[in-house]
């Protein structure tokens, strides 16, 4: 993968680490709790993806990801000591970009290892949402990704957009850009207009 | 594995997907929550088994399992939109067969890869119950498989039956049939007569 | 690994199995719940470590660990049937030794497979605390390792002690002893004087 890809990927990991640290703050955890929640949120999804694909786990290969997680957690802790207000709004927007990027990274990794397209879409979604799901399970929340606004479904739609672009012969970087744009726009739209996807008719 | 084995296995996955979808319905989840719960319940146990045995994960190899999960979830959703009553009773019986089958599949997979018998029994049990355990943990239930009527213990007994049959020189297909019959009968008996296994004396 | 190492390792697994069984007792679980909680606590951390490092899972290779878990659970069950009082105090001390040992085992395994030092420290911590974390998540507790007295942080400090000793050219067995002593003393100190590590300033 090219160099800018690596840097954006590190940024995505950092954004997720910040969201894990904020959850630890809300739950009044201390010390190790912060490290665990930040790490699980940041690298949990990619770890499961690499294990299921049976390829080397990315943060064992490249320790930059561990350092990125720790630095992001540390900066967030220092920020929160000086100011209990945190720019949640910007975090949600950064998170939308992180989600879209993790989704594409997961798909590309799966396709490089000759996985079928439906498996690649599953891998993109796992990379995008599994870290947040683990974070919520550990904190005894019903995972946010499971009910409420569109979250993971935007990964699936971004993955389908990738598959369609690829099917019509677009080059790889265009597939990536189309998928990223679709996921980010869907997610920002869901945040702005509170889109939901009711499947059950519950009286 | 032979063709009928493949089809029954797909049916087992579908039954578990239905049970995950029903849990999502009870918890009033929507959209992606249904997909996650159905998938986790249907393929979670087999995924852990394949990862621990370090063999290719079954649904990455054969996408039929993913489609089976999605179709089962979709059919259940449509059913529930038209009728809030669901034939839970038949589901429990189907689930007993699914449990027995997953158990035998897990044992066979482990034995093919030269695992010792005690590991094979553990793998059968993991395949049978881990999906349901994950479903309950995600939904913040104390897992049903852990307290209440005999569930996982029937897997272990079915596994021991397999081991005994094998020890006395029965051919492979007979070991499978003996194990299946033992697990299904134990499970249906536990459902009918509310068998329990108290190990603690709690005043 | 040498013979005494193997035996102490089995003892560490047994201690964790006892702690899982005690949790099942407190939660009034029965039958299979005890087996699952004992197993998850005893071998969960090492299983995740081996999967992430992509090496054969230790209890699939050497079934002694499964038997050690089952025997420890059985002995605890029999003890609790005769006397509802359990020597929790001794268990905490045994647990401190188990934690230190799991930590060193995890680091050594990672370093043998050429992992960088920061990954090795992460692996030691995972081996030490992940079993207990899973135990608490399954029982719907907020994991003890995440808030309260110093627990996992002692693993990290023991890991850093190992790294420093190695950096200054100590031989492998001395690195092990220094790391073990650091982790055990930190943990016993945390238990005795209720050390904590507040990172957030929460009003």
């Amino acid at each position: 993968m090219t160099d800018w890809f690596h840097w954006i990927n590190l940024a995505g990991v950092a954004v997720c680490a910040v969201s894990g640290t904020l959850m630890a703050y809300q739950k009044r955890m201390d010390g190790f709790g912060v490290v665990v929640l930040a790490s699980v949120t940041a690298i949990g999804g990619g770890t499961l993806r690499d294990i299921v694909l049976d390829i080397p786990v990315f943060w064992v290969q490249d320790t930059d990801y561990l350092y990125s997680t720790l630095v992001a957690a540390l900066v967030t802790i220092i920020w929160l000591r000086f100011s209990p207000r945190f720019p949640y709004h910007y975090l949600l927007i950064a998170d939308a970009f992180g989600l879209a990027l993790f989704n594409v990274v997961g798909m590309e990794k799966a396709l490089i290892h000759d996985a079928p397209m439906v498996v690649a879409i599953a891998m993109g979604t796992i990379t995008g949402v599994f870290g947040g799901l683990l974070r919520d399970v550990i904190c005894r929340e019903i995972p946010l990704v499971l009910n409420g606004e569109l979250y993971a479904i935007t990964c699936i739609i971004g993955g389908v957009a990738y598959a369609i672009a690829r099917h019509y012969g677009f080059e790889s970087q265009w597939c990536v850009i189309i998928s990223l744009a679709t996921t980010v726009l869907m997610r920002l739209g869901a945040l702005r207009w509170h889109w939901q996807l009711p499947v059950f008719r519950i009286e």
Side-chain angles (χ1 to χ4, degrees), chain A:
Chain A
M1 299 192 209
T2 55
D3 210 45
W4 65 269
F5 202 74
H6 179 69
W7 281 105
I8 300 185
N9 211 342
L10 280 175
V13 166
V15 167
C16 289
V18 170
S19 108
T21 310
L22 288 174
M23 174 66 96
Y25 178 67
Q26 279 179 6
K27 291 279 166 181
R28 292 156 183 271
M29 288 180 181
D30 261 336
F32 188 67
V34 181
V35 178
V36 166
L37 269 199
S39 310
V40 158
T41 314
I43 63 182
T47 304
L48 181 62
R49 173 202 62 210
D50 291 348
I51 289 172
V52 169
L53 287 177
D54 202 11
I55 57 181
V57 174
F58 68 106
W59 55 270
V60 173
Q61 296 291 97
D62 181 349
T63 53
D64 284 359
Y65 293 103
L66 285 184
Y67 292 122
S68 170
T69 303
L70 293 177
V71 169
L74 198 64
V75 168
T76 312
I77 288 169
I78 292 169
W79 180 294
L80 288 169
R81 283 187 88 92
F82 284 99
S83 149
R85 287 212 206 109
F86 195 88
Y88 287 97
H89 190 66
Y90 293 106
L91 183 71
L92 279 176
I93 293 173
D95 183 70
F97 281 88
L99 183 72
L101 194 94
F102 273 21
N103 188 26
V104 163
V105 170
M107 291 190 71
E108 292 261 304
K109 272 215 168 182
L111 291 172
I112 287 170
H113 292 85
D114 296 323
M117 188 51 86
V118 63
V119 172
I121 293 175
M123 288 299 162
T125 308
I126 285 174
T127 314
V129 308
F130 192 74
L133 194 142
L134 277 181
R135 178 197 62 207
D136 294 350
V137 166
I138 290 176
C139 290
R140 276 183 32 191
E141 304 280 329
I142 284 208
L144 268 181
V145 304
L146 296 189
N147 50 0
E149 281 147 22
L150 288 190
Y151 191 87
I153 222 81
T154 61
C155 281
I156 297 178
I157 294 169
V160 171
Y162 185 102
I164 292 171
R166 203 180 149 100
H167 180 74
Y168 283 104
F170 283 86
E171 279 178 60
S172 183
Q173 67 264 42
W174 282 106
C175 298
V176 168
I177 289 165
I178 288 167
S179 170
L180 283 176
T182 310
T183 312
V184 168
L185 291 177
M186 290 289 300
R187 179 70 190 129
L188 293 182
L191 282 174
R192 179 70 185 78
W193 291 288
H194 302 284
W195 289 340
Q196 296 197 314
L197 182 70
V199 297
F200 295 127
R201 195 184 52 186
I202 294 166
E203 288 87 31

